[in-house]
Amino acid sequence: MVKHIILWQLKDELSDAEKAKVREDIKAGLEGLAGQIPGLVDIHVQIEMLGSSNADLMLDSTFDEEASLKGYAVHPAHVAVADGVVRPNTKSRVCIDFEA
């Protein structure tokens, strides 16, 4: 199994209401990929953070192997979510991938 974890910070110019909407949209879009991407075992987006957090949301996903993670990166359904709602609204991204 391969874990793919991402932390994002949303753009500063977004209002609190806009940030809440963007978090919901990213969660719906990414979690909606379940069953569409070969080798994607599990996907969850955490949008409820404690005040001590310095990230706005987290993707926690699991793939059956590294090749599946690479396929996910270029899969049209994933690219549509990434280009449609994630990239336009985020200012930073930190990623870690590892074998679990």
Side-chain angles (χ1 to χ4, degrees):
M1 294 289 184
V2 171
K3 294 293 288 181
H4 174 62
I5 311 276
I6 298 178
L7 299 173
W8 289 284
Q9 288 182 323
L10 298 176
K11 290 184 176 178
D12 295 329
E13 57 267 23
L14 297 172
S15 69
D16 289 344
E18 289 170 325
K19 286 182 179 183
K21 172 84 166 86
V22 166
R23 283 199 275 296
E24 290 288 344
D25 290 348
I26 290 173
K27 179 177 178 67
L30 290 175
E31 290 182 356
L33 297 175
Q36 295 188 52
I37 311 285
L40 175 60
V41 176
D42 187 44
I43 189 164
H44 175 71
V45 177
Q46 180 65 39
I47 61 172
E48 301 290 330
M49 303 294 173
L50 297 176
S52 57
S53 301
N54 63 5
D56 293 303
L57 63 161
M58 177 190 75
L59 168 68
D60 180 358
S61 54
T62 306
F63 295 84
D64 61 358
E65 62 182 358
E66 188 175 1
S68 298
L69 172 58
K70 290 179 181 179
Y72 163 83
V74 297
H75 191 282
H78 169 256
V79 171
V81 175
D83 287 347
V85 68
V86 177
R87 291 184 184 114
N89 294 295
T90 56
K91 68 176 182 177
S92 70
R93 174 188 181 271
V94 177
C95 174
I96 185 168
D97 300 323
F98 59 94
E99 289 190 22

